[in-house]
Short mmCIF file of all heavy atoms in Angstrom, two decimals:
data_model
loop_
_atom_site.label_atom_id
_atom_site.label_comp_id
_atom_site.label_asym_id
_atom_site.label_seq_id
_atom_site.Cartn_x
_atom_site.Cartn_y
_atom_site.Cartn_z
N ASP A 1 19.91 -18.37 14.63
CA ASP A 1 19.41 -17.03 14.12
C ASP A 1 20.19 -16.68 12.85
O ASP A 1 19.58 -16.19 11.88
CB ASP A 1 19.50 -16.00 15.19
CG ASP A 1 18.49 -16.19 16.33
OD1 ASP A 1 17.52 -16.90 16.12
OD2 ASP A 1 18.62 -15.50 17.34
N LEU A 2 21.48 -16.80 12.95
CA LEU A 2 22.39 -16.43 11.80
C LEU A 2 22.04 -17.33 10.63
O LEU A 2 21.86 -16.84 9.51
CB LEU A 2 23.83 -16.57 12.21
CG LEU A 2 24.85 -16.18 11.08
CD1 LEU A 2 24.61 -14.72 10.69
CD2 LEU A 2 26.21 -16.33 11.64
N ALA A 3 21.83 -18.58 10.83
CA ALA A 3 21.48 -19.51 9.78
C ALA A 3 20.09 -19.14 9.15
O ALA A 3 19.95 -19.20 7.92
CB ALA A 3 21.50 -20.95 10.26
N SER A 4 19.16 -18.80 10.00
CA SER A 4 17.88 -18.34 9.53
C SER A 4 17.97 -17.07 8.64
O SER A 4 17.34 -16.98 7.58
CB SER A 4 16.93 -18.07 10.71
OG SER A 4 16.68 -19.30 11.36
N GLU A 5 18.77 -16.14 9.12
CA GLU A 5 18.94 -14.85 8.34
C GLU A 5 19.60 -15.20 7.00
O GLU A 5 19.16 -14.64 6.01
CB GLU A 5 19.78 -13.92 9.11
CG GLU A 5 19.08 -13.29 10.27
CD GLU A 5 20.07 -12.36 11.11
OE1 GLU A 5 21.04 -11.85 10.48
OE2 GLU A 5 19.81 -12.16 12.29
N MET A 6 20.57 -16.10 7.01
CA MET A 6 21.24 -16.42 5.79
C MET A 6 20.27 -17.15 4.76
O MET A 6 20.28 -16.87 3.61
CB MET A 6 22.49 -17.35 6.02
CG MET A 6 23.61 -16.55 6.71
SD MET A 6 24.99 -17.59 7.17
CE MET A 6 25.67 -18.04 5.57
N ALA A 7 19.46 -18.02 5.32
CA ALA A 7 18.45 -18.78 4.47
C ALA A 7 17.46 -17.75 3.93
O ALA A 7 17.13 -17.86 2.74
CB ALA A 7 17.74 -19.80 5.34
N GLU A 8 16.99 -16.86 4.71
CA GLU A 8 16.06 -15.84 4.24
C GLU A 8 16.71 -14.98 3.14
O GLU A 8 16.07 -14.69 2.12
CB GLU A 8 15.57 -14.95 5.36
CG GLU A 8 14.59 -15.62 6.33
CD GLU A 8 14.24 -14.82 7.48
OE1 GLU A 8 14.55 -13.59 7.49
OE2 GLU A 8 13.67 -15.34 8.47
N SER A 9 17.95 -14.63 3.32
CA SER A 9 18.64 -13.78 2.39
C SER A 9 18.85 -14.51 1.10
O SER A 9 18.66 -14.03 0.03
CB SER A 9 20.01 -13.32 2.96
OG SER A 9 20.71 -12.58 2.09
N HIS A 10 19.19 -15.79 1.19
CA HIS A 10 19.36 -16.67 -0.01
C HIS A 10 18.02 -16.80 -0.75
O HIS A 10 17.95 -16.74 -1.93
CB HIS A 10 19.91 -18.02 0.45
CG HIS A 10 20.17 -18.94 -0.76
ND1 HIS A 10 21.14 -18.73 -1.66
CD2 HIS A 10 19.56 -20.07 -1.10
CE1 HIS A 10 21.12 -19.68 -2.59
NE2 HIS A 10 20.13 -20.55 -2.24
N SER A 11 16.99 -17.03 -0.01
CA SER A 11 15.63 -17.16 -0.64
C SER A 11 15.25 -15.90 -1.27
O SER A 11 14.71 -15.86 -2.46
CB SER A 11 14.59 -17.50 0.45
OG SER A 11 14.83 -18.80 0.99
N ALA A 12 15.49 -14.72 -0.68
CA ALA A 12 15.16 -13.45 -1.29
C ALA A 12 15.98 -13.25 -2.59
O ALA A 12 15.50 -12.75 -3.55
CB ALA A 12 15.43 -12.30 -0.33
N TYR A 13 17.20 -13.63 -2.58
CA TYR A 13 18.10 -13.53 -3.74
C TYR A 13 17.59 -14.45 -4.82
O TYR A 13 17.47 -13.96 -6.01
CB TYR A 13 19.53 -13.97 -3.42
CG TYR A 13 20.45 -14.02 -4.55
CD1 TYR A 13 20.96 -12.86 -5.14
CD2 TYR A 13 20.85 -15.22 -5.09
CE1 TYR A 13 21.77 -12.87 -6.19
CE2 TYR A 13 21.70 -15.29 -6.16
CZ TYR A 13 22.16 -14.12 -6.74
OH TYR A 13 23.00 -14.21 -7.82
N LYS A 14 17.17 -15.64 -4.53
CA LYS A 14 16.68 -16.58 -5.53
C LYS A 14 15.36 -16.03 -6.12
O LYS A 14 15.12 -16.11 -7.31
CB LYS A 14 16.47 -17.95 -4.93
CG LYS A 14 17.69 -18.78 -4.76
CD LYS A 14 17.44 -20.09 -4.07
CE LYS A 14 16.66 -20.98 -5.00
NZ LYS A 14 16.43 -22.33 -4.49
N LEU A 15 14.46 -15.42 -5.22
CA LEU A 15 13.26 -14.92 -5.69
C LEU A 15 13.47 -13.69 -6.65
O LEU A 15 12.82 -13.57 -7.67
CB LEU A 15 12.39 -14.49 -4.51
CG LEU A 15 11.02 -13.93 -4.77
CD1 LEU A 15 10.19 -14.96 -5.59
CD2 LEU A 15 10.33 -13.56 -3.47
N ALA A 16 14.42 -12.85 -6.25
CA ALA A 16 14.74 -11.67 -7.06
C ALA A 16 15.26 -12.11 -8.44
O ALA A 16 14.86 -11.53 -9.49
CB ALA A 16 15.78 -10.79 -6.35
N ARG A 17 16.06 -13.17 -8.48
CA ARG A 17 16.52 -13.65 -9.76
C ARG A 17 15.42 -14.17 -10.62
O ARG A 17 15.35 -14.04 -11.78
CB ARG A 17 17.61 -14.73 -9.56
CG ARG A 17 18.97 -14.16 -9.14
CD ARG A 17 19.98 -15.23 -9.08
NE ARG A 17 20.06 -15.92 -10.35
CZ ARG A 17 20.92 -16.88 -10.66
NH1 ARG A 17 21.82 -17.20 -9.79
NH2 ARG A 17 20.94 -17.47 -11.80
N GLU A 18 14.50 -14.87 -9.96
CA GLU A 18 13.36 -15.45 -10.71
C GLU A 18 12.46 -14.36 -11.26
O GLU A 18 11.99 -14.40 -12.41
CB GLU A 18 12.56 -16.34 -9.78
CG GLU A 18 11.54 -17.16 -10.52
CD GLU A 18 12.06 -18.15 -11.54
OE1 GLU A 18 13.24 -18.63 -11.35
OE2 GLU A 18 11.42 -18.47 -12.52
N VAL A 19 12.26 -13.29 -10.46
CA VAL A 19 11.48 -12.20 -10.90
C VAL A 19 12.15 -11.50 -12.11
O VAL A 19 11.47 -11.18 -13.09
CB VAL A 19 11.27 -11.14 -9.78
CG1 VAL A 19 10.79 -9.83 -10.31
CG2 VAL A 19 10.35 -11.68 -8.71
N LEU A 20 13.46 -11.31 -12.05
CA LEU A 20 14.21 -10.79 -13.16
C LEU A 20 14.05 -11.62 -14.48
O LEU A 20 13.75 -11.12 -15.50
CB LEU A 20 15.67 -10.61 -12.78
CG LEU A 20 16.58 -9.99 -13.93
CD1 LEU A 20 16.10 -8.64 -14.34
CD2 LEU A 20 18.02 -9.93 -13.47
N LYS A 21 14.12 -12.98 -14.32
CA LYS A 21 13.95 -13.84 -15.46
C LYS A 21 12.53 -13.66 -16.04
O LYS A 21 12.34 -13.64 -17.21
CB LYS A 21 14.18 -15.27 -15.05
CG LYS A 21 15.66 -15.64 -14.83
CD LYS A 21 15.78 -17.11 -14.42
CE LYS A 21 17.13 -17.46 -13.96
NZ LYS A 21 17.21 -18.89 -13.51
N LEU A 22 11.59 -13.58 -15.20
CA LEU A 22 10.16 -13.46 -15.61
C LEU A 22 9.99 -12.11 -16.34
O LEU A 22 9.33 -12.05 -17.39
CB LEU A 22 9.21 -13.62 -14.43
CG LEU A 22 9.10 -15.00 -13.84
CD1 LEU A 22 8.26 -14.99 -12.60
CD2 LEU A 22 8.48 -15.93 -14.85
N ARG A 23 10.58 -11.02 -15.80
CA ARG A 23 10.45 -9.77 -16.49
C ARG A 23 11.10 -9.78 -17.89
O ARG A 23 10.60 -9.25 -18.84
CB ARG A 23 11.17 -8.65 -15.67
CG ARG A 23 10.31 -8.30 -14.42
CD ARG A 23 10.99 -7.12 -13.69
NE ARG A 23 10.13 -6.80 -12.57
CZ ARG A 23 10.56 -6.08 -11.57
NH1 ARG A 23 11.83 -5.59 -11.48
NH2 ARG A 23 9.79 -5.78 -10.55
N GLU A 24 12.25 -10.49 -17.99
CA GLU A 24 12.88 -10.65 -19.32
C GLU A 24 12.00 -11.39 -20.29
O GLU A 24 11.86 -11.09 -21.44
CB GLU A 24 14.27 -11.30 -19.17
CG GLU A 24 15.31 -10.41 -18.48
CD GLU A 24 16.57 -11.13 -18.12
OE1 GLU A 24 16.69 -12.39 -18.32
OE2 GLU A 24 17.51 -10.43 -17.68
N THR A 25 11.38 -12.50 -19.77
CA THR A 25 10.51 -13.32 -20.53
C THR A 25 9.29 -12.44 -21.02
O THR A 25 8.86 -12.47 -22.20
CB THR A 25 9.93 -14.49 -19.77
OG1 THR A 25 11.10 -15.32 -19.40
CG2 THR A 25 9.03 -15.35 -20.55
#
C-alpha cells in the first residue's frame, strides 16, 4: 500500500511537471 501511494504521488508529481512545461510552451 505504501509503495502504491508513493508511486501515485510520484506519477502525480511527474504529471504536474509536464503540465507546467506545456503551459510554458
